[in-house]
Amino acid sequence: MNHYLTISEFAKLRGVNINSLLYYEKLGILLPAYTDPHSKYRYYAPEQLSALDIILLCINLDIPLKGLKQYQDENAYWQKKMLEDGKRIMEDKISRMQTDLRKIEYSLKCQEEQDQYADCEGIYQREIPSRFFIVEEYVGEFANIRQFGRISTRLFDYAEEKGFSTVLPSGFMFTFHGQETRQFLFYEVLPTDKKDEKIIEIPKGIWGCLQMKFAPDLNHIPFLEKHFGAPNRRIAIFSNLTRDRLKINSRYNEIQVLDI
């Protein structure tokens, strides 16, 4: 048996445990090269390391090992087919990671900008660059938590389906045009060139801002008129502030107002 490796020797070559090899055998994807009919000891050939490497690669790529057996059964060139599929999976994973990194960097930038105004009291001016929102028109009371949950979930799912990357913050938006007032729920998304009926670009500008503790029963329109005057053409955003979200009594909004 000098040309074979014991199961423990074989397992140590890739740092796996014996139970894993027994499981691969049970699935039929890595059988011992020889099993002693009397002792039932299992032995492996050194060249089977390549098969073990592919199994470990499948695990890293989140390819179900039962799917690996299907590759073996359906295609004589199963290793090439599996690697081609694995390449596509890895490219998708890298793309998602790159998007997640952009979301983190964008959110950190927003947090750093918010921190500059953390101690502001009363109305202050703040220069805000252009932003992209995905929006859903909101009819009803914002304090209706069940309605809010339905619309919020629907909008988030829509963004995911269409490939828009949502980032912090989120909140409510009002638009005023003469006598017409509309209200929306929004998520901010990463800047995009894709066109969609629910995507709007919020213009850059010098916004008048005011911080306040979250008030679910707030009558928003009279509040805006009281603090910012009567509107003609205006965008008003009630944006969630990213303070300590673990404490329910630390929920704040930054009201951002731009008269156009």
Side-chain angles (χ1 to χ4, degrees), residues 105-133:
E105 291 173 341
Y106 189 90
S107 297
L108 280 173
K109 181 181 177 183
C110 289
Q111 181 68 67
E112 290 167 359
E113 291 172 351
Q114 285 184 4
D115 288 346
Q116 297 177 30
Y117 301 92
D119 299 323
C120 287
E121 296 182 0
I123 295 175
Y124 55 94
Q125 302 295 309
R126 180 179 170 193
E127 184 175 3
I128 303 178
S130 62
R131 295 166 284 176
F132 288 82
F133 287 180

Side-chain angles (χ1 to χ4, degrees), residues 1-210:
M1 304 299 294
N2 289 336
H3 52 292
Y4 286 125
L5 298 167
T6 66
I7 189 171
S8 60
E9 291 171 334
F10 188 71
K12 287 179 181 178
L13 292 177
R14 289 296 181 268
V16 301
N17 60 56
I18 293 174
N19 287 335
S20 294
L21 292 179
L22 294 175
Y23 178 64
Y24 306 152
E25 179 185 353
K26 181 179 179 181
L27 291 178
I29 57 177
L30 181 58
L31 302 177
Y34 174 74
T35 301
D36 188 292
H38 303 293
S39 65
K40 304 301 179 183
Y41 287 170
R42 292 163 172 79
Y43 298 89
Y44 292 82
E47 55 268 25
Q48 288 183 282
L49 280 173
S50 60
L52 179 56
D53 288 338
I54 287 179
I55 291 171
L56 298 178
L57 179 61
C58 283
I59 294 172
N60 289 335
L61 293 175
D62 297 324
I63 296 176
L65 294 183
K66 292 182 180 178
L68 179 56
K69 183 64 168 62
Q70 187 174 352
Y71 279 108
Q72 294 173 334
D73 292 342
E74 292 181 356
N75 197 321
Y77 301 98
W78 68 271
Q79 292 189 8
K80 181 174 184 294
K81 177 67 168 59
M82 192 281 298
L83 291 172
E84 289 172 344
D85 289 348
K87 180 175 180 290
R88 284 191 289 271
I89 292 172
M90 184 57 71
E91 288 171 343
D92 288 343
K93 183 179 289 189
I94 291 172
S95 177
R96 291 195 299 271
M97 292 176 67
Q98 289 173 334
T99 298
D100 287 343
L101 178 59
R102 289 178 60 210
K103 290 170 69 172
I104 291 171
E105 291 173 341
Y106 189 90
S107 297
L108 280 173
K109 181 181 177 183
C110 289
Q111 181 68 67
E112 290 167 359
E113 291 172 351
Q114 285 184 4
D115 288 346
Q116 297 177 30
Y117 301 92
D119 299 323
C120 287
E121 296 182 0
I123 295 175
Y124 55 94
Q125 302 295 309
R126 180 179 170 193
E127 184 175 3
I128 303 178
S130 62
R131 295 166 284 176
F132 288 82
F133 287 180
I134 187 165
V135 301
E136 177 89 13
E137 190 155 12
Y138 196 102
V139 179
E141 298 295 329
F142 292 127
N144 186 334
I145 191 65
R146 290 182 176 80
Q147 181 183 12
F148 170 82
R150 288 193 299 270
I151 296 176
S152 176
T153 299
R154 184 167 68 234
L155 183 59
F156 181 83
D157 290 345
Y158 182 89
E160 291 287 301
E161 177 187 343
K162 297 296 184 178
F164 296 109
S165 300
T166 58
V167 292
L168 296 174
S170 61
F172 298 110
M173 179 177 70
F174 297 83
T175 60
F176 300 86
H177 190 270
Q179 298 300 312
E180 181 187 33
T181 301
R182 301 174 69 187
Q183 56 190 30
F184 302 86
L185 175 69
F186 76 84
Y187 286 100
E188 190 168 347
V189 299
L190 290 178
T192 179
D193 294 328
K194 293 195 295 185
K195 303 299 181 183
D196 189 276
E197 61 182 5
K198 292 183 181 292
I199 293 290
I200 61 173
E201 183 175 3
I202 305 299
K204 67 178 181 179
I206 306 297
W207 295 69
C209 299
L210 175 67

Side-chain angles (χ1 to χ4, degrees), residues 213-214 243-252:
K213 208 161 190 177
F214 175 72
R243 294 187 179 178
D244 190 345
R245 293 178 176 271
L246 296 179
K247 298 178 180 178
I248 192 65
N249 60 358
S250 69
R251 298 169 66 190
Y252 282 79

